[in-house]
Amino acid sequence: MKRHFAILLAVLIALLSVGGALAQDGALIIATELDDVITLDPGRAFETTNLTINHATYDTLVEIRADDLNTLVPSLAESWTVSDDGLVYTFTLRSGVTFASGNPLTAEDVRFSWTRLKNLKGNPSFYADTVASVEAVDDLTVRVTLSAPTPAFLTIVTAPAMSVLDSVLAKANGATDAADADTTDTANDWLSQNSAGSGPFVLTGWTPLGEITLVRNDNYWRGAAALPAVTLRHSDDATTKLQLLERGDIDVYENVDKDLAAQIQGNADLQLSIGQTLNITYLAISGDAKFNLPLSDARVRQAIAQAVDYDGIINGLLSGYADRPAAMLPLGVAGSDPAKRYERNVDAAKALLAEAGYADGFEMPIYIGQGAPGGIPSETLAAKLQADLAEIGVTVTIDQRPTSDFLTAYRAQELSFLFATWTPDYLDPTMWSDYFSYPDSGPAARILLNSQAIADAAAQAAAEADPAKRLEIYTAYQDAHVAEAVFVPLFQPQQLYALRNNVQGFAFHPVYFMDFYMMSKS
Amino acid sequence: MLRYIARRLILTIPMLLGISLVLFLIYNLVQIDPLVMIVGERAMDNPEVVAAAVKKWGLDRPIWEQYLTYVVNMARGDFGASFLTRRPVMDDLRLFLPATVELALSSLAFATVLGIPLGILAGVKYRSLFDRGVWFISLLNASLPPFWTGLIFLTIFYFYLGIMPGPGRLDPRMSDPERVTGLYTVDSLLAGDVQAFGSTLHHLVLPTLILGGFTLALVVRVTRAAIIEEMRRDYIRTARGKGLSERRVIVRHALRNVMMPLVTILGLAFAGLLSGAVMTETVFDWPGLGQYLVKAAVNFDYPAIQGGTLLIAIVYVLVNLVVDVMYGLLDPRVRYD
């Protein structure tokens, strides 16, 4: 009996030590949260992680690089022209580009990909809303006709959803661009486990809540990447991710818990990289009369905007890892002017309240969901705002609901006072001004914003093709937002990355976060 | 016997219907619009996308029709599609269940192999120092929260000592074995990948200690209490009187009678391990049923919650049935009619 046990133990130990030997040693391993992934099909995916994966496995016609967010750089398209009326874009494709499959890139692939995106009627289809038709003029010429002038179109083209698929390979696996693609396209499963792109990496698998694996595309048209493979591993717990990184079992820890930043900076083997996101966490204060609150007086909303302790939120609740954006245009986007925002001034706020006839303050609810939009748990941020507003005599009661319930009520225009976070899908200022301006769309509709000044400025800016004039209009746009004080930006969170010292070439991108092609490991 | 099993299985059908009806009523009482979750906040502004989603998910049908469709589909083994993952719930369960089963089996094996002998020894040496030691350790096991012990174990054995692997089912640098059963131990062996098999076993150790620890405490206490009771019975005195060795008295006589309560406990414990490993799965990044259902609950993913709940109900029914059948095998006095 004892001998059997000893043999068993020996076999176990032998097996376990074999388990220590490793396969792919050069692969870059990243710990992150993969629970948002639903599909990796660029025509269907509209979450967060898919942006990184789609960018690594596909190319777009034009791109915006992390080092200069205001400049469009040619990618699959070598050059392009825009007709005088702003309606027709003609792209000339780079010649000699092949997909990872070996198939050559042609104008037909672009036509197929964009038409399919539109006809899938999926969550990201709105990227192609403005596209009326796409034609393949010849092998390397694509002509796109828009339904209305859209100066932001080239920026929209840089979005991962506008990626170019290898139409031959995609069709062989069930993809179609037919008008009824939303019911007849069957490529979702295949495109979630494989990729059909020309990008520097090829998708080799996805296990939900497990991992996503990529291997290098050796025939990449810009030259093969330095990394042979990339693995993204799901991990929920911040402490565990840091332990994995410190022990060297992973190379990158994405979206570091801000409480752990100091610990990473204190470790000589690790580097902390700070990414400037273009997200805005904002306060929404409805001025609509239906709520029967003093908030319908602009002076009361302005008083609230001046009562918030912005620096206290950033330093106390985000360990300083956030910026203060302008009124509804984040720093880093063309036209954003950090002077166009409120500063804390309790005395001025009290004076405004008194002027509006509420010297003794009033009581109102703040509606919040669960989770931590922008990186602060909702209840913590609500409590901070409650304390700040108490200083000017406004008593805030916290009404917390399940997130889906909260969102449903926000959409149904039932909430008068709340905070939320806006994340961009592409980098044009219209990504904000289209949604925070008009009484019939986006958060502006939900909070019942009705300001002619804001709507006019947003419409003018969206139609203006001259960049200098556009900047001018956006200045007026931000002034109008400050005066209205319906949307009050609280902070623009930063995203932290912890990397082992032997990882080079990381530069944060606000849309797709990581560019594995630029990274290497020594 | 077969008739008994068949009757028990048929009786589960009204029970499952009842559960699904209760879940359906709760869902319709809460008044949450699943559309926001399906199409995402931003796409809600696009009427074409919204209309396509409403049609695809049958949200334009009257409530009773939605329920009837659901029941009919359920009878065909189709639990509908998850709002969150957009995949059939059945596929999701098939995907996430094996990881949980693997951990549950390993924990049950650990608790049984170690728990029964410890329980017997503690029971035989009732009130000795050994008994008190076992009692204290099992009390500790039963009362420490697994997310806490899990993190502590990882910190000590993985982070500081480096003798155990980090979280996950497999070394991050290895690729997953080709999926056959979804049990990594089996799949890696089928693929002939000894390295992956070793790594899988190694990765099972810490979560098994944590998850199995609770069951271990239960097994020890039940065995101990039953042994103490049995050892006072007349037949034990008779056996001793016949001159049997103490070892024979315990193994041949007392243990047989201890098996009855043990089988009950082990059955329930196994069902519990399958449905209640959420904390352990989260700490160890274990892609199992617990994590899947928690995410479904947080996001109000109704088809997934319903599918998961029904699956767990079925597991309980089956386990109870197995336990009842085992009674008959263990004790000839039990009759099924």
Side-chain angles (χ1 to χ4, degrees):
Chain A
M1 180 70 181
K2 263 184 189 146
R3 194 189 301 155
H4 287 163
F5 185 70
I7 291 172
L8 192 71
L9 202 67
V11 169
L12 264 180
I13 288 171
L15 277 171
L16 297 186
S17 50
V18 172
L22 304 167
Q24 310 166 353
D25 262 338
L28 185 77
I29 300 172
I30 299 154
T32 184
E33 278 163 40
L34 297 179
D35 48 1
D36 66 321
V37 183
I38 293 171
T39 164
L40 294 172
D41 177 347
R44 288 184 169 94
F46 191 56
E47 291 70 45
T48 306
T49 308
N50 67 277
L51 297 166
T52 308
I53 306 300
N54 291 344
H55 174 73
T57 50
Y58 296 86
D59 287 311
T60 46
L61 294 193
V62 185
E63 64 177 338
I64 291 178
R65 298 273 181 82
D67 53 6
D68 181 2
L69 299 181
N70 292 310
T71 303
L72 293 158
V73 185
S75 180
L76 291 182
E78 215 165 41
S79 61
W80 54 87
T81 57
V82 186
S83 67
D84 290 340
D85 60 2
L87 285 175
V88 181
Y89 285 67
T90 310
F91 295 93
T92 305
L93 301 182
R94 198 174 293 275
S95 66
V97 175
T98 56
F99 288 102
S101 64
N103 294 330
L105 166 83
T106 66
E108 165 58 19
D109 295 308
V110 181
R111 190 203 63 75
F112 173 83
S113 305
W114 291 2
T115 313
R116 174 174 182 263
L117 173 68
K118 200 174 167 66
N119 287 338
L120 281 174
K121 298 185 190 71
N123 300 355
S125 293
F126 73 93
Y127 286 100
D129 272 354
T130 182
V131 175
S133 72
V134 192
E135 298 158 72
V137 179
D138 60 44
D139 269 3
L140 295 177
T141 311
V142 184
R143 187 188 299 144
V144 184
T145 310
L146 304 184
S147 49
T150 313
F153 183 65
L154 284 173
T155 318
I156 293 174
V157 168
T158 66
M162 299 291 275
S163 293
V164 180
L165 276 73
D166 177 343
S167 61
V168 177
L169 183 62
K171 279 182 198 163
N173 289 287
T176 170
D177 63 334
D180 58 354
D182 59 325
T183 52
T184 54
D185 185 289
T186 55
N188 186 42
D189 288 347
W190 192 83
L191 285 172
S192 297
Q193 295 293 335
N194 306 273
S195 54
S198 57
F201 292 88
V202 177
L203 174 66
T204 50
W206 161 47
T207 328
L209 294 182
E211 62 178 24
I212 293 173
T213 48
L214 308 172
V215 298
R216 177 166 59 201
N217 168 13
D218 286 322
N219 303 316
Y220 188 49
W221 57 275
R222 282 189 176 112
L227 293 168
V230 177
T231 299
L232 290 95
R233 253 177 57 111
H234 175 75
S235 184
D236 261 329
D237 187 79
T239 317
T240 311
K241 280 183 270 202
L242 183 56
Q243 289 184 351
L244 283 163
L245 185 72
E246 290 191 306
R247 294 231 15 129
D249 281 340
I250 59 167
D251 303 304
V252 180
Y253 163 11
E254 182 175 42
N255 206 356
V256 173
D257 192 302
K258 291 177 173 81
D259 295 336
L260 298 177
Q263 207 176 326
I264 288 157
Q265 282 168 323
N267 186 328
D269 295 330
L270 308 179
Q271 36 177 331
L272 184 73
S273 183
I274 300 169
Q276 173 68 71
T277 72
L278 295 181
N279 305 347
I280 297 184
T281 299
Y282 60 89
L283 208 53
I285 316 170
S286 181
D288 199 86
K290 83 170 188 180
F291 295 114
N292 258 329
L293 285 169
L295 301 176
S296 48
D297 188 326
R299 287 170 297 187
V300 174
R301 299 197 299 271
Q302 290 159 358
I304 290 173
Q306 292 187 68
V308 176
D309 175 17
Y310 301 97
D311 294 335
I313 292 173
I314 291 175
N315 294 323
L317 304 179
L318 290 165
S319 310
Y321 292 108
D323 290 300
R324 288 209 48 209
M328 299 329 278
L329 274 188
L331 305 182
V333 161
S336 169
D337 176 359
K340 312 287 187 197
R341 67 186 189 203
Y342 279 98
E343 300 298 337
R344 177 170 162 91
N345 186 341
V346 175
D347 293 334
K350 279 183 181 164
L352 270 172
L353 269 190
E355 209 183 299
Y358 298 100
D360 297 330
F362 59 92
E363 202 181 314
M364 67 169 173
I366 184 167
Y367 300 93
I368 63 172
Q370 289 160 325
I376 307 175
S378 293
E379 51 277 15
T380 309
L381 183 53
K384 169 67 179 158
L385 293 168
Q386 193 179 36
D388 290 351
L389 293 186
E391 284 189 48
I392 60 163
V394 176
T395 309
V396 174
T397 51
I398 299 176
D399 183 341
Q400 186 170 26
R401 304 166 172 201
T403 302
S404 42
D405 195 357
F406 167 77
L407 288 177
T408 305
Y410 186 19
R411 295 204 56 83
Q413 306 178 319
E414 286 165 4
L415 308 182
S416 48
F417 185 50
L418 58 102
F419 52 81
T421 299
W422 186 254
T423 51
D425 303 309
Y426 49 89
L427 299 178
D428 192 81
T430 51
M431 188 65 236
W432 291 268
S433 61
D434 278 356
Y435 297 92
F436 288 92
S437 309
Y438 309 117
D440 58 353
S441 89
R446 291 172 213 167
I447 206 72
L448 296 153
L449 170 69
N450 202 348
S451 154
Q452 202 60 46
I454 294 177
D456 286 350
Q460 281 174 34
E464 182 57 65
D466 176 18
K469 279 188 194 155
R470 218 173 172 213
L471 288 188
E472 249 171 63
I473 302 170
Y474 272 121
T475 304
Y477 173 77
Q478 292 168 77
D479 282 332
H481 258 302
V482 169
E484 195 66 29
V486 162
F487 290 110
V488 178
L490 291 172
F491 55 87
Q492 185 174 340
Q494 294 169 344
Q495 184 151 316
L496 307 185
Y497 285 76
L499 304 96
R500 292 203 55 92
N501 278 338
N502 62 342
V503 178
Q504 287 103 27
F506 171 72
F508 178 82
H509 191 283
V511 168
Y512 53 74
F513 317 115
M514 284 182 279
D515 188 347
F516 303 133
Y517 184 62
M518 307 302 286
M519 295 173 76
S520 63
K521 198 175 146 182
S522 56
Chain B
M1 173 92 153
L2 281 176
R3 268 185 60 193
Y4 170 79
I5 293 175
R7 206 173 61 216
R8 284 282 297 266
L9 286 176
I10 289 168
L11 274 174
T12 61
I13 293 170
M15 193 195 79
L16 294 177
L17 275 175
I19 292 172
S20 74
L21 188 63
V22 169
L23 283 169
F24 192 82
L25 288 178
I26 293 175
Y27 168 68
N28 279 291
L29 280 175
V30 187
Q31 297 279 327
I32 287 175
D33 185 359
L35 264 181
V36 183
M37 206 171 56
I38 296 170
V39 305
E41 245 193 293
R42 203 154 302 162
M44 285 297 281
D45 291 328
N46 186 334
E48 218 179 321
V49 172
V50 171
V54 165
K55 200 171 150 226
K56 183 174 171 201
W57 298 85
L59 299 171
D60 50 349
R61 309 274 167 72
I63 285 177
W64 60 268
E65 199 183 323
Q66 288 185 32
Y67 180 68
L68 272 186
T69 315
Y70 187 84
V71 170
V72 170
N73 288 339
M74 199 171 74
R76 292 197 207 114
D78 173 5
F79 283 165
S82 153
F83 291 153
L84 201 60
T85 66
R86 318 274 158 86
R87 287 187 304 265
V89 171
M90 209 54 183
D91 289 1
D92 274 350
L93 295 178
R94 221 173 277 145
L95 187 73
F96 288 103
L97 188 63
T100 300
V101 168
E102 189 160 54
L103 185 54
L105 283 176
S106 146
S107 301
L108 192 71
F110 165 70
T112 318
V113 169
L114 205 65
I116 295 179
L118 278 182
I120 293 174
L121 282 178
V124 171
K125 302 187 175 172
Y126 178 45
R127 285 194 175 158
S128 67
L129 197 62
F130 176 81
D131 177 32
R132 277 161 210 269
V134 168
W135 176 81
F136 179 72
I137 289 171
S138 62
L139 188 73
L140 213 60
N141 253 331
S143 44
L144 291 176
F147 63 88
W148 185 80
T149 37
L151 281 178
I152 296 290
F153 273 39
L154 274 175
T155 305
I156 297 175
F157 296 107
Y158 166 63
F159 188 66
Y160 285 113
L161 299 179
I163 52 173
M164 283 295 157
R169 292 178 81 184
L170 194 63
D171 189 285
R173 270 151 285 200
M174 292 182 181
S175 42
D176 294 348
E178 199 189 334
R179 193 183 173 89
V180 183
T181 60
L183 305 172
Y184 277 20
T185 40
V186 178
D187 288 355
S188 58
L189 282 183
L190 287 177
D193 188 343
V194 184
Q195 274 193 13
F197 179 69
S199 177
T200 302
L201 281 188
H202 207 177
H203 277 81
L204 267 169
V205 175
L206 285 184
T208 298
L209 287 179
I210 301 298
L211 187 63
F214 189 85
T215 316
L216 173 71
L218 200 68
V219 171
V220 167
R221 275 178 304 153
V222 169
T223 314
R224 175 179 170 276
I227 280 281
I228 291 170
E229 204 183 314
E230 293 302 322
M231 295 304 277
R232 291 185 187 139
R233 296 276 174 98
D234 289 344
Y235 71 88
I236 295 289
R237 203 172 35 188
T238 313
R240 283 185 179 142
K242 285 194 290 189
L244 292 181
S245 70
E246 191 65 14
R247 184 176 166 155
R248 231 180 147 83
V249 168
I250 295 165
V251 176
R252 281 285 168 84
H253 294 259
L255 194 55
R256 280 201 180 175
N257 290 295
V258 171
M259 286 318 281
M260 294 287 283
L262 255 183
V263 165
T264 316
I265 285 295
L266 287 176
L268 288 176
F270 182 62
L273 286 172
L274 285 179
S275 54
V278 180
M279 286 302 174
T280 315
E281 285 183 3
T282 305
V283 173
F284 288 95
D285 296 333
W286 205 263
L289 196 62
Q291 285 214 58
Y292 174 71
L293 288 180
V294 164
K295 293 203 195 305
V298 169
N299 292 289
F300 216 76
D301 184 354
Y302 165 68
I305 297 171
Q306 178 141 15
T309 312
L310 288 175
L311 178 77
I312 289 170
I314 293 170
V315 166
Y316 269 91
V317 168
L318 290 182
V319 164
N320 270 320
L321 183 61
V322 170
V323 167
D324 285 351
V325 170
M326 295 246 320
Y327 282 162
L329 299 178
L330 289 168
D331 188 341
R333 286 170 301 185
V334 177
R335 286 283 165 270
Y336 307 98
D337 34 43

